[in-house]
C-alpha cells in the first residue's frame, strides 16, 4: 500500500480542518481526490507529505510516518503543488540540474533534455523560466516532480493552464507511469476530463470528511444498482 489514511483528523488551532478522512492508494493506481474548494484536499496533502502532523487517526505513506520520516519520504515521492515556485532567471535545463543536486542526483544535459522532452518542453529548455506561460510552468513542475524517479506522485491540479492538447499529453505521461512503471498517483483536480481519462479510484471529501471512496467501476456499479432499485420500486 502506497498511502493508507484511517480516520484522519487535523486541527489548526481550535478549528477542525479534517474531521474524518480515509484514503487508500496502491501501486499503479491513479486516485482522484475530489471535493469543493475548502473541503480539505490541500490539508490532506499536507498530512501525506509530512508538512502537518495529524491530531488523531493514522497516516502511512510508503510504510512511513510522514511527520516523523519526512526526509526519507521525500527522497521517494514527487510533488507538484498547485502554486509551484521557480527561479525565473534560470533556464529549465539549469533549474532541473539544480533541483537534482538537492537530491544528490547528477543530471547532465542529455538527461535534462530527455526529462523536459517527456513533458513537452525540450524546445524551450534554454529559455528563461520568466518567459514561460502558466501551462509551461505546469509542465516544468511535473518534470521537477519526476527527477528522483518517484514511487508515488502527488499532483495538485497538474493540468491547470494547459490547452486540450497539452492536457492529453500530460495524461499520456501519467498513464505511462502508472501502467508501465507501477507508480501510484494521487491527483487533485476539478477537471472531469482528468478524472474520466486517468482515475481508477476516487475519493470525495467535503467539510473535512470522506463522503465516498472506491474504484470507478465499483461506484458506477453501485449507482446502476441503486437506479434499478428505484426504477423497480
Amino acid at each position: 500500500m502506497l498511502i493508507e489514511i484511517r480516520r484522519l483528523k487535523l486541527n489548526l488551532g481550535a478549528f477542525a480542518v479534517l474531521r474524518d478522512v480515509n484514503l487508500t492508494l496502491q501501486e499503479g493506481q491513479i486516485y482522484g481526490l475530489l471535493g469543493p474548494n475548502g473541503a480539505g484536499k490541500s490539508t490532506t496533502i499536507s498530512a501525506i507529505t509530512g508538512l502537518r502532523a495529524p491530531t488523531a487517526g493514522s497516516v502511512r505513506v510508503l510504510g512511513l510516518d510522514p511527520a516523523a520520516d519526512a526526509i526519507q519520504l521525500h527522497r521517494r515521492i514527487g510533488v507538484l503543488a498547485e502554486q509551484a515556485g521557480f527561479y525565473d532567471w534560470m533556464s529549465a535545463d539549469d533549474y532541473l540540474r539544480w533541483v537534482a543536486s538537492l537530491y544528490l542526483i547528477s543530471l547532465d544535459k542529455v538527461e535534462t533534455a530527455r526529462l523536459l522532452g517527456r513533458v513537452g518542453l525540450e524546445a524551450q529548455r534554454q529559455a528563461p523560466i520568466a518567459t514561460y506561460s502558466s501551462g509551461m510552468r505546469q509542465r516544468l513542475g511535473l518534470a521537477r516532480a519526476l527527477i528522483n524517479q518517484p514511487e508515488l506522485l502527488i499532483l495538485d491540479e497538474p493540468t491547470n493552464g494547459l490547452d486540450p492538447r497539452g492536457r492529453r499529453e500530460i495524461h499520456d505521461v501519467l498513464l505511462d507511469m502508472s501502467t508501465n512503471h507501477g507508480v501510484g498517483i494521487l491527483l487533485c483536480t476539478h477537471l472531469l476530463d482528468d478524472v474520466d481519462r486517468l482515475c481508477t479510484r476516487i475519493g470525495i471529501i467535503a467539510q473535512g470528511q470522506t463522503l465516498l471512496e472506491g474504484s470507478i467501476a465499483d461506484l458506477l456499479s453501485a449507482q446502476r444498482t441503486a437506479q434499478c432499485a428505484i426504477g423497480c420500486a
Side-chain angles (χ1 to χ4, degrees), residues 31-233:
Y31 186 113
L33 184 60
L34 312 176
N37 290 334
K41 300 188 298 297
S42 294
T43 305
T44 300
I45 289 176
S46 294
I48 291 170
T49 56
L51 297 179
R52 296 192 183 276
T55 303
S58 65
V59 180
R60 304 294 292 180
V61 183
L62 303 179
L64 302 171
D65 176 353
D69 303 309
I71 294 176
Q72 184 180 350
L73 178 64
H74 280 262
R75 293 191 181 115
R76 300 170 60 189
I77 68 174
V79 180
L80 173 60
E82 185 176 6
Q83 300 295 330
F86 303 99
Y87 292 114
D88 283 355
W89 52 270
M90 283 184 167
S91 68
D93 188 87
D94 290 337
Y95 178 74
L96 289 185
R97 284 189 283 123
W98 174 75
V99 172
S101 71
L102 301 180
Y103 288 95
L104 303 180
I105 296 171
S106 178
L107 288 183
D108 61 27
K109 291 194 174 184
V110 172
E111 292 167 320
T112 56
R114 178 191 58 78
L115 192 54
L116 289 167
R118 194 172 184 183
V119 298
L121 281 180
E122 185 175 6
Q124 296 85 15
R125 56 187 293 230
Q126 296 298 341
I129 297 172
T131 65
Y132 279 21
S133 67
S134 59
M136 292 168 70
R137 287 170 179 262
Q138 288 297 99
R139 292 172 185 267
L140 181 57
L142 180 57
R144 179 179 64 188
L146 299 178
I147 282 176
N148 59 329
Q149 299 181 353
E151 301 166 55
L152 170 66
L153 271 175
I154 300 169
L155 308 175
D156 197 353
E157 303 290 351
T159 59
N160 261 1
L162 295 174
D163 59 23
R165 178 180 175 181
R167 286 201 301 272
R168 290 285 167 161
E169 290 173 352
I170 297 304
H171 288 175
D172 290 342
V173 172
L174 299 181
L175 288 169
D176 174 67
M177 294 193 68
S178 64
T179 303
N180 298 321
H181 302 281
V183 176
I185 301 173
L186 179 64
L187 177 71
C188 285
T189 183
H190 288 94
L191 297 174
L192 294 180
D193 186 47
D194 286 356
V195 176
D196 183 57
R197 186 156 191 250
L198 295 174
C199 297
T200 53
R201 186 173 179 83
I202 63 169
I204 299 174
I205 66 173
Q207 298 180 340
Q209 298 183 82
T210 298
L211 303 181
L212 189 69
E213 187 191 33
S215 71
I216 297 288
D218 288 346
L219 294 175
L220 288 175
S221 177
Q223 181 186 41
R224 284 192 294 268
T225 300
Q227 288 174 339
C228 179
I230 292 170
C232 295

Side-chain angles (χ1 to χ4, degrees), residues 13-51:
F15 184 69
V17 181
L18 302 180
R19 297 186 290 164
D20 186 9
V21 172
N22 299 278
L23 191 159
T24 57
L25 171 63
Q26 299 182 21
E27 292 182 4
Q29 287 183 335
I30 301 181
Y31 186 113
L33 184 60
L34 312 176
N37 290 334
K41 300 188 298 297
S42 294
T43 305
T44 300
I45 289 176
S46 294
I48 291 170
T49 56
L51 297 179

